[in-house]
Amino acid sequence: MSDNKIIVGPTKVTRFEKARIVGARALQISMGAPILIDADETVSNPIDIAIKEMDEAILPITIRRTLPNRAFQDIPLRWLL
């Protein structure tokens, strides 16, 4: 499949993908994973930290979008933000 163009799904991250990414990252942070941003006193909740990391597009996450015919495309998160 094409490496430079999103051909499966919308060109932005969906609300379902965002919820899954934030939830998974917040769980990682709560289990002791290193934080990828400079967290200050105002951001101490793992969910808020995960949202801030996602908004800054620094998460090294790839989203796999699959079609019903089993075709898929792996899309880096930074392309969708």
Side-chain angles (χ1 to χ4, degrees):
M1 300 223 159
S2 174
D3 291 10
N4 299 331
K5 189 171 139 185
I6 299 171
I7 57 174
V8 178
T11 59
K12 297 284 184 185
V13 66
T14 66
R15 61 186 175 162
F16 306 106
E17 292 167 340
K18 183 175 182 178
R20 177 70 188 256
I21 292 166
V22 169
R25 182 63 185 145
L27 178 64
Q28 291 174 349
I29 292 168
S30 68
M31 298 296 286
I35 298 172
L36 302 175
I37 59 170
D38 293 328
D40 50 6
E41 293 85 29
T42 61
V43 183
S44 61
N45 183 0
I47 294 174
D48 294 335
I49 294 170
I51 291 170
K52 192 170 181 184
E53 286 180 345
M54 185 170 170
D55 289 342
E56 292 183 13
I58 58 172
L59 290 175
I61 292 179
T62 301
I63 295 175
R64 174 169 282 183
R65 291 184 174 167
T66 308
L67 292 173
N69 66 356
R70 298 182 190 254
F72 64 89
Q73 182 180 15
D74 292 331
I75 307 166
L77 180 61
R78 67 181 176 275
W79 288 10
L80 299 172
L81 297 175

